[in-house]
Amino acid sequence: MSASDGGAAPDPRSDPEVLIIGGGVVGLFCAYFLRQGGASVTVIERGEVGGPGSCSYGNTGFVGTQGSAPLAEPGVMTQGLRWLADPRSPFYIKPRLDRELMSWLWHFRRFCNEQSVQSVFGVLLAMKKRSLEILTDLCSSGSLAGTFTAPGITVAYKTPEAFGKACRSVPRMVALGLPLRVLEPGELAALEPDAEFDISGALVNAEGAALYVPEFVIEFARVLTGMGVEILPNTEATGFETTGRQAKRERRVTKVITTRGEFTPAELVVAAGAWSPAVARKLGIGLTLQPAKGYSLTVKAPANGPRRPVILSEGKVAVMPLGDRLRFGGTLELSGLDAAVSPRRVEGIRRIVSSYLPHLESTPTIETWSGLRPCTPDSVPFVGRAERFGNVSVTCGHGYIGMGLAPGTGEMIAQITAGKQPDTDPEPFRLDRFKHRGWRR
């Protein structure tokens, strides 16, 4: 069955060894590595794979090693409070009485220190490097080759203060394995001969790369179908049947009830993005996770637009050339599972782009979009076995760098599901790492 085929309910005789809940980029990479290991795999997705409702549909697709710093950094809470007064700012929290949000913010604040930043940076950088290796190999030929580009990423700084701070950090970043380099005067113009920036300076990361989305996700699903993975869109998990005692690893999921029939897989993987907490809750699994809404604006490519991926650093906006289109993505909005597009947020992105590229030609808007990115308080995704279950694994919480972490975490899940010790240390990714940290929900 193809990824886009509505189809009939699955034949109960073809129950898979592994059922994956979630057909986003994370779930698809889980399926890829599990199938490579010989398992029969079925993926169910609540909407269309790569469709407008998916987290990957309208983002900028950045992968590679850029963006390894966590959201929680020293001073970010103070900056965030200032941003809350501006309806067009890069960061927003919708005021509401929500205990899960309060718990998330409490844990987030704990990680706003230099020691945590350094620890998390190392974890994310290692996973991003491994993921880049996987993507480079996967997209080296065949139908996926045209969905991947690795020209490096330019990081532009508007103010002298921010640029000076970035320059001072370069030797330390290089020592940690991030290949940053300060662009000399005139180099940016050589890299971007059509675009005219109004900035104080820029760095370049040679390991910057990007996936064209949603083209990559849609084509990857086709590749997986060709490998024998069954992908069922518009299929939602509505309930579970379990057996066994409540003791650690002694319970098992025996049946998964969906809107397209029932499955009795040997293994279950929950990779449902921002909807993972709701799915996990049905199994009594708690996840400290918040959906963070991001926005993108796609326009017809202007003649004087950037040719390469660019990050507008202080403005928290990514710029991605897509052939005849140009996409701007940014903002982080904690407003629950509300995917509505806020015109003020989109205007905020436009304003930031105009400040860095004041002479950018105005072209027709093709699409405005918002998507929900599942974020953990420490920016490290959840990857591992559920504490009380012997056949349930969970991976979610990849945040705004999910495209760049998905390959490595998919590899980890396949190794864990097969009962192997993962090549990557699983300790930082534990599902229960926030469980005994002082907050009681």
Side-chain angles (χ1 to χ4, degrees):
M1 181 178 294
S2 73
S4 59
D5 186 0
D11 184 341
R13 293 171 299 177
S14 64
D15 272 335
E17 294 173 65
V18 185
L19 179 69
I20 299 172
I21 300 176
V25 67
V26 174
L28 295 182
F29 269 106
C30 290
Y32 174 71
F33 283 104
L34 285 161
R35 186 69 188 122
Q36 276 199 328
S40 61
V41 182
T42 294
V43 178
I44 62 173
E45 165 60 27
R46 64 193 298 272
E48 291 293 333
V49 175
S54 65
C55 181
S56 302
Y57 171 81
N59 68 28
T60 49
F62 282 14
V63 295
T65 55
Q66 193 61 37
S68 299
L71 290 172
E73 295 182 292
V76 74
M77 294 295 286
T78 303
Q79 176 64 64
L81 290 173
R82 289 196 294 267
W83 272 337
L84 289 181
D86 183 352
R88 296 173 297 180
S89 68
F91 179 65
Y92 176 71
I93 301 174
K94 182 179 180 179
R96 62 195 189 277
L97 292 174
D98 184 326
R99 289 185 64 81
E100 290 187 354
L101 173 62
M102 294 301 105
S103 172
W104 190 94
L105 289 171
W106 188 88
H107 288 292
F108 180 81
R109 184 178 180 276
R110 290 179 48 249
F111 289 97
C112 293
N113 62 78
E114 193 58 42
Q115 182 178 356
S116 294
V117 168
Q118 291 182 17
S119 175
V120 169
F121 179 87
V123 171
L124 295 179
L125 181 60
M127 182 61 78
K128 279 177 144 273
K129 281 182 175 290
R130 176 56 188 149
S131 294
L132 182 58
E133 291 173 356
I134 294 167
L135 281 170
T136 302
D137 180 63
L138 178 66
C139 299
S140 63
S141 61
S143 61
L144 291 172
T147 66
F148 174 73
T149 181
I153 284 181
T154 303
V155 187
Y157 295 88
K158 180 70 177 174
T159 67
E161 295 79 13
F163 180 53
K165 182 179 179 181
C167 291
R168 291 190 295 273
S169 73
V170 166
R172 181 168 61 91
M173 293 294 101
V174 171
L176 291 172
L178 194 67
L180 288 174
R181 182 174 65 83
V182 179
L183 288 176
E184 298 296 330
E187 278 193 279
L188 180 58
L191 291 173
E192 296 288 0
D194 302 323
E196 186 176 344
F197 289 83
D198 180 11
I199 58 175
S200 294
L203 309 182
V204 64
N205 181 344
E207 289 181 345
L211 294 166
Y212 297 111
V213 292
E215 291 84 356
F216 171 81
V217 176
I218 294 169
E219 187 55 37
F220 191 28
R222 291 195 187 103
V223 169
L224 291 174
T225 300
M227 292 171 61
V229 175
E230 185 174 39
I231 300 178
L232 303 175
N234 303 309
T235 306
E236 189 169 356
T238 58
F240 304 92
E241 290 184 10
T242 63
T243 188
R245 300 189 305 163
Q246 291 289 343
K248 185 175 182 180
R249 301 284 191 268
E250 293 195 12
R251 289 196 68 75
R252 297 186 68 83
V253 169
T254 55
K255 184 179 292 185
V256 181
I257 304 162
T258 81
T259 53
R260 293 179 54 154
E262 299 177 349
F263 297 86
T264 56
E267 290 280 345
L268 175 68
V269 176
V270 177
W275 287 268
S276 294
V279 175
R281 200 174 296 120
K282 291 183 171 70
L283 292 167
I285 302 168
L287 298 173
T288 305
L289 192 73
Q290 280 292 306
K293 182 158 56 174
Y295 292 85
S296 73
L297 172 68
T298 305
V299 302
K300 182 180 178 182
N304 63 343
R307 297 181 179 183
R308 298 155 47 95
V310 179
I311 295 173
L312 310 180
S313 184
E314 299 100 309
K316 312 296 183 186
V317 168
V319 182
M320 178 62 185
L322 298 167
D324 61 352
R325 298 165 293 150
L326 185 64
R327 179 169 293 162
F328 312 110
T331 78
L332 190 152
E333 182 177 319
L334 298 177
S335 53
L337 291 171
D338 173 17
V341 173
S342 165
R344 291 186 298 181
R345 298 287 155 195
V346 176
E347 177 56 32
I349 292 175
R350 288 183 184 274
R351 182 183 62 174
I352 290 165
V353 171
S354 294
S355 71
Y356 284 77
L357 293 157
H359 304 293
L360 190 67
E361 177 188 346
S362 178
T363 58
T365 297
I366 296 172
E367 185 175 26
T368 57
W369 173 87
S370 71
L372 300 174
R373 303 167 294 191
C375 292
T376 61
D378 59 359
S379 296
V380 178
F382 292 122
V383 188
R385 283 290 201 193
E387 186 177 19
R388 289 181 294 174
F389 289 88
N391 69 336
V392 178
S393 300
V394 177
T395 178
C396 57
H398 295 69
Y400 70 100
I401 51 175
M403 302 295 291
L405 295 175
T409 53
E411 183 179 53
M412 275 186 72
I413 282 291
Q415 291 169 341
I416 290 168
T417 301
K420 300 176 181 177
Q421 179 64 27
D423 294 335
T424 300
D425 180 10
E427 182 66 18
F429 303 89
R430 286 183 7 255
L431 274 59
D432 62 350
R433 63 184 184 269
F434 304 111
K435 187 175 180 180
H436 304 295
R437 294 288 187 173
W439 175 272
R440 295 291 182 268
R441 292 193 289 176

